[in-house]
mmCIF file of all heavy atoms in Angstrom:
data_model
loop_
_atom_site.group_PDB
_atom_site.id
_atom_site.type_symbol
_atom_site.label_atom_id
_atom_site.label_comp_id
_atom_site.label_asym_id
_atom_site.label_seq_id
_atom_site.Cartn_x
_atom_site.Cartn_y
_atom_site.Cartn_z
ATOM 1 N N GLY H 309 28.530 -26.866 1.708
ATOM 2 C CA GLY H 309 28.125 -28.259 1.495
ATOM 3 C C GLY H 309 26.952 -28.407 0.546
ATOM 4 O O GLY H 309 26.247 -29.405 0.574
ATOM 5 N N GLY H 310 26.685 -27.388 -0.287
ATOM 6 C CA GLY H 310 25.528 -27.426 -1.175
ATOM 7 C C GLY H 310 25.692 -28.435 -2.302
ATOM 8 O O GLY H 310 26.811 -28.822 -2.653
ATOM 9 N N LYS H 311 24.552 -28.846 -2.872
ATOM 10 C CA LYS H 311 24.571 -29.863 -3.918
ATOM 11 C C LYS H 311 25.347 -29.366 -5.138
ATOM 12 O O LYS H 311 26.120 -30.095 -5.748
ATOM 13 C CB LYS H 311 23.127 -30.216 -4.322
ATOM 14 C CG LYS H 311 22.960 -31.699 -4.652
ATOM 15 C CD LYS H 311 21.609 -31.968 -5.320
ATOM 16 C CE LYS H 311 20.439 -31.849 -4.343
ATOM 17 N NZ LYS H 311 19.134 -31.916 -5.001
ATOM 18 N N ILE H 312 25.117 -28.079 -5.473
ATOM 19 C CA ILE H 312 25.758 -27.530 -6.669
ATOM 20 C C ILE H 312 27.197 -27.111 -6.384
ATOM 21 O O ILE H 312 28.105 -27.400 -7.164
ATOM 22 C CB ILE H 312 24.937 -26.343 -7.192
ATOM 23 C CG1 ILE H 312 23.645 -26.885 -7.815
ATOM 24 C CG2 ILE H 312 25.709 -25.530 -8.226
ATOM 25 C CD1 ILE H 312 22.585 -25.864 -8.025
ATOM 26 N N THR H 313 27.402 -26.488 -5.235
ATOM 27 C CA THR H 313 28.737 -25.955 -4.949
ATOM 28 C C THR H 313 29.753 -27.045 -4.620
ATOM 29 O O THR H 313 30.955 -26.789 -4.596
ATOM 30 C CB THR H 313 28.688 -24.961 -3.771
ATOM 31 O OG1 THR H 313 27.933 -25.557 -2.719
ATOM 32 C CG2 THR H 313 28.063 -23.663 -4.195
ATOM 33 N N THR H 314 29.280 -28.263 -4.338
ATOM 34 C CA THR H 314 30.241 -29.343 -4.125
ATOM 35 C C THR H 314 30.129 -30.375 -5.242
ATOM 36 O O THR H 314 30.791 -31.396 -5.218
ATOM 37 C CB THR H 314 30.022 -30.026 -2.760
ATOM 38 O OG1 THR H 314 28.680 -30.513 -2.728
ATOM 39 C CG2 THR H 314 30.238 -29.058 -1.618
ATOM 40 N N GLY H 315 29.234 -30.108 -6.227
ATOM 41 C CA GLY H 315 29.057 -31.034 -7.349
ATOM 42 C C GLY H 315 30.017 -30.692 -8.479
ATOM 43 O O GLY H 315 31.020 -30.016 -8.279
ATOM 44 N N PRO H 316 29.666 -31.151 -9.713
ATOM 45 C CA PRO H 316 30.537 -30.873 -10.863
ATOM 46 C C PRO H 316 30.672 -29.366 -11.081
ATOM 47 O O PRO H 316 29.698 -28.634 -10.971
ATOM 48 C CB PRO H 316 29.805 -31.508 -12.044
ATOM 49 C CG PRO H 316 28.758 -32.377 -11.459
ATOM 50 C CD PRO H 316 28.493 -31.930 -10.063
ATOM 51 N N VAL H 317 31.894 -28.950 -11.396
ATOM 52 C CA VAL H 317 32.154 -27.516 -11.507
ATOM 53 C C VAL H 317 31.407 -26.900 -12.683
ATOM 54 O O VAL H 317 30.969 -25.748 -12.625
ATOM 55 C CB VAL H 317 33.672 -27.232 -11.571
ATOM 56 C CG1 VAL H 317 34.262 -27.731 -12.884
ATOM 57 C CG2 VAL H 317 33.952 -25.749 -11.380
ATOM 58 N N ALA H 318 31.186 -27.659 -13.754
ATOM 59 C CA ALA H 318 30.504 -27.116 -14.929
ATOM 60 C C ALA H 318 29.093 -26.667 -14.563
ATOM 61 O O ALA H 318 28.613 -25.609 -14.978
ATOM 62 C CB ALA H 318 30.460 -28.153 -16.042
ATOM 63 N N LYS H 319 28.435 -27.486 -13.775
ATOM 64 C CA LYS H 319 27.066 -27.170 -13.346
ATOM 65 C C LYS H 319 27.070 -25.920 -12.454
ATOM 66 O O LYS H 319 26.175 -25.063 -12.529
ATOM 67 C CB LYS H 319 26.532 -28.388 -12.579
ATOM 68 C CG LYS H 319 25.104 -28.293 -12.148
ATOM 69 C CD LYS H 319 24.137 -28.641 -13.279
ATOM 70 C CE LYS H 319 22.767 -28.059 -12.933
ATOM 71 N NZ LYS H 319 21.923 -27.893 -14.104
ATOM 72 N N HIS H 320 28.075 -25.826 -11.615
ATOM 73 C CA HIS H 320 28.211 -24.684 -10.718
ATOM 74 C C HIS H 320 28.361 -23.390 -11.532
ATOM 75 O O HIS H 320 27.655 -22.405 -11.319
ATOM 76 C CB HIS H 320 29.426 -24.914 -9.802
ATOM 77 C CG HIS H 320 29.545 -23.909 -8.688
ATOM 78 N ND1 HIS H 320 30.511 -24.004 -7.725
ATOM 79 C CD2 HIS H 320 28.833 -22.809 -8.387
ATOM 80 C CE1 HIS H 320 30.370 -22.995 -6.880
ATOM 81 N NE2 HIS H 320 29.361 -22.254 -7.256
ATOM 82 N N ILE H 321 29.281 -23.435 -12.498
ATOM 83 C CA ILE H 321 29.499 -22.256 -13.348
ATOM 84 C C ILE H 321 28.215 -21.918 -14.091
ATOM 85 O O ILE H 321 27.794 -20.764 -14.148
ATOM 86 C CB ILE H 321 30.655 -22.508 -14.345
ATOM 87 C CG1 ILE H 321 31.968 -22.666 -13.575
ATOM 88 C CG2 ILE H 321 30.750 -21.383 -15.366
ATOM 89 C CD1 ILE H 321 33.144 -23.086 -14.438
ATOM 90 N N ASP H 322 27.553 -22.954 -14.589
ATOM 91 C CA ASP H 322 26.348 -22.736 -15.384
ATOM 92 C C ASP H 322 25.279 -21.992 -14.592
ATOM 93 O O ASP H 322 24.655 -21.051 -15.078
ATOM 94 C CB ASP H 322 25.802 -24.077 -15.878
ATOM 95 C CG ASP H 322 24.511 -23.900 -16.658
ATOM 96 O OD1 ASP H 322 24.580 -23.286 -17.735
ATOM 97 O OD2 ASP H 322 23.458 -24.338 -16.175
ATOM 98 N N ILE H 323 25.083 -22.414 -13.333
ATOM 99 C CA ILE H 323 23.987 -21.785 -12.575
ATOM 100 C C ILE H 323 24.332 -20.344 -12.210
ATOM 101 O O ILE H 323 23.463 -19.479 -12.144
ATOM 102 C CB ILE H 323 23.610 -22.641 -11.352
ATOM 103 C CG1 ILE H 323 22.195 -22.258 -10.895
ATOM 104 C CG2 ILE H 323 24.590 -22.462 -10.194
ATOM 105 C CD1 ILE H 323 21.507 -23.317 -10.120
ATOM 106 N N VAL H 324 25.633 -20.081 -12.024
ATOM 107 C CA VAL H 324 26.017 -18.695 -11.718
ATOM 108 C C VAL H 324 25.865 -17.827 -12.973
ATOM 109 O O VAL H 324 25.309 -16.734 -12.919
ATOM 110 C CB VAL H 324 27.467 -18.629 -11.178
ATOM 111 C CG1 VAL H 324 27.889 -17.169 -10.991
ATOM 112 C CG2 VAL H 324 27.583 -19.374 -9.858
ATOM 113 N N VAL H 325 26.314 -18.355 -14.096
ATOM 114 C CA VAL H 325 26.287 -17.555 -15.324
ATOM 115 C C VAL H 325 24.868 -17.407 -15.861
ATOM 116 O O VAL H 325 24.430 -16.322 -16.213
ATOM 117 C CB VAL H 325 27.195 -18.180 -16.406
ATOM 118 C CG1 VAL H 325 27.044 -17.434 -17.726
ATOM 119 C CG2 VAL H 325 28.637 -18.156 -15.948
#
Side-chain angles (χ1 to χ4, degrees):
Chain H
K311 216 192 288 172
I312 288 164
T313 47
T314 58
V317 69
K319 184 81 200 159
H320 189 176
I321 294 173
D322 177 66
I323 200 157
V324 175
V325 174

